[in-house]
Amino acid sequence: MVSSSHEAMHRIFQEYPGLFSRVSEVLGVTIGPPASASVMPTDLTENRPLERRVDTLLRIDMEDDRSYLLAIEAQGKKDPDKPASWMYYLSYLQAKYKLPPMLLVVCQDRATAEWAARPFRVGHPQSPVLTLQALVAGPHNMPVITDVAEARKDLALATLAAITHAGDPDIGAILKTLSTTLRDVPETIADPIVELIAQGLGNRPAAQQWRNLVAVDLSFYKSSLSEEIRDEGRAEGRTEGRTEGFARGILLFLAQAGIDVPDEARDRITGCTDLDTLSRWLLRAPTATSVEDVFIEK
């Protein structure tokens, strides 16, 4: 039951809206007197069901018996309405589970990441009542992993880093590092990573680079992506189709890097029928600075 003191403490502002201006001065915040005021409905219940879903929600239990909730949101572009939704999520989670929530926003472009990392405030500019400060992972702060030993230390981090750097100029080297690293990883671990990276790269040019790297050793990769590439290879005529695909991949990497390919070098690539040789060339192509780097045996 609502007590009379509770009722009085807020109802007085309905009767005397200008009172808040004077109270604010006492609190050290200068907010001028209102030009007008209207009493709004206090029922915040939504009449229509409104579906709200966070992308991923995890409960994290610590060894010292502490627990918290981690909400993870993938954000592809700036959305002025999103911070309000995030605040709703976090408030709802706190009220429902009585556990402290955290928010992680994952982005693939720097501008969106920097936007999401800003503090978002609700309330009067001089006295905000809520401030949202999300954790943000994106190309601005995720590592560029091009060393196999570093990637091997934490494959999950290396995978997320590759996805967040999907549009990075160094993506070829990043993907080559992961492809090389996965050669020594059990299939049960490698297969999900192959698929996650393929999914994370989406329709970007880097997706085709990843497919080409996966295609280098189809006997190793058993994921659905490799099966798809195998089917393509069979349709093209098995070995002949694979050599042509490798050659196209090499030329694609060089073209994306802006490297000029003389006719003699192009004929050498497209005319090669040895899969092992083409595989070596394909692995070098993403980090080549000239066409000679593809052919030189190191």
Side-chain angles (χ1 to χ4, degrees):
M1 181 176 179
V2 178
S3 67
S4 57
S5 60
H6 177 279
E7 187 78 4
M9 284 189 291
H10 68 82
R11 187 173 179 82
I12 189 172
F13 289 94
Q14 295 182 22
E15 301 296 332
Y16 305 100
L19 175 62
F20 178 65
S21 176
R22 277 98 72 189
V23 172
S24 70
E25 293 178 5
V26 176
L27 300 178
V29 180
T30 303
I31 298 178
S36 64
S38 301
V39 177
M40 302 292 291
T42 58
D43 186 358
L44 303 183
T45 303
E46 299 184 30
N47 295 326
R48 296 181 305 169
L50 181 62
E51 184 175 342
R52 297 180 186 269
R53 291 181 182 272
V54 66
D55 289 340
T56 288
L57 178 64
L58 302 175
R59 171 180 170 145
I60 308 296
D61 298 315
M62 309 298 288
E63 290 184 355
D64 58 3
D65 294 331
R66 290 182 302 131
S67 300
Y68 65 93
L69 300 175
L70 177 60
I72 305 166
E73 286 276 283
Q75 192 66 26
K77 61 181 180 180
K78 299 178 184 178
D79 182 352
D81 295 329
K82 203 65 178 183
S85 295
W86 291 337
M87 288 184 179
Y88 175 90
Y89 297 161
L90 298 174
S91 299
Y92 177 85
L93 292 171
Q94 176 74 53
K96 180 175 182 178
Y97 296 103
K98 303 298 188 291
L99 291 173
M102 298 183 70
L103 173 64
L104 173 64
V105 182
V106 183
C107 307
Q108 286 183 302
D109 71 271
R110 188 181 186 91
T112 301
E114 292 177 346
W115 165 80
R118 289 163 35 198
F120 294 98
R121 297 181 176 88
V122 169
H124 191 281
Q126 295 181 358
S127 181
V129 293
L130 289 175
T131 300
L132 172 70
Q133 184 72 67
L135 297 172
V136 180
H140 67 303
N141 59 8
M142 292 296 288
V144 176
I145 300 177
T146 56
D147 179 75
V148 172
E150 184 180 357
R152 188 176 290 122
K153 290 178 182 177
D154 193 333
L155 276 171
L157 177 63
T159 300
L160 178 62
I163 292 173
T164 58
H165 286 288
D168 195 289
D170 293 326
I171 188 60
I174 295 171
L175 295 179
K176 177 187 174 183
T177 298
L178 271 170
S179 177
T180 303
T181 303
L182 292 178
R183 292 177 178 274
D184 301 322
V185 174
E187 292 178 15
T188 54
I189 298 176
D191 291 351
I193 292 176
V194 171
E195 299 301 326
L196 276 171
I197 294 174
Q199 184 179 18
L201 297 177
N203 295 323
R204 295 172 181 261
Q208 185 58 48
Q209 297 183 28
W210 181 240
R211 289 171 62 86
N212 291 337
L213 289 170
V214 171
V216 169
D217 188 359
L218 295 179
S219 64
F220 171 76
Y221 295 106
K222 305 299 184 184
S223 65
S224 60
L225 177 63
S226 66
E227 290 296 335
E228 181 182 337
I229 296 175
R230 281 196 191 91
D231 292 340
E232 293 175 357
R234 295 188 187 102
E236 293 175 0
R238 296 186 180 279
T239 302
E240 180 180 355
R242 289 178 66 188
T243 56
E244 291 177 357
F246 282 24
R248 287 197 301 271
I250 295 167
L251 294 174
L252 176 63
F253 282 139
L254 297 176
Q256 289 176 334
I259 297 174
D260 179 60
V261 181
D263 291 341
E264 181 179 352
R266 184 179 299 274
D267 292 342
R268 182 177 177 184
I269 293 171
T270 58
C272 181
T273 58
D274 182 76
L275 286 174
D276 290 337
T277 300
L278 285 168
S279 296
R280 292 195 299 271
W281 292 351
L282 183 60
L283 287 173
R284 295 175 194 147
T287 55
T289 58
S290 68
V291 71
E292 287 76 17
D293 290 342
V294 174
F295 301 130
I296 293 176
E297 296 290 342
K298 300 178 182 180

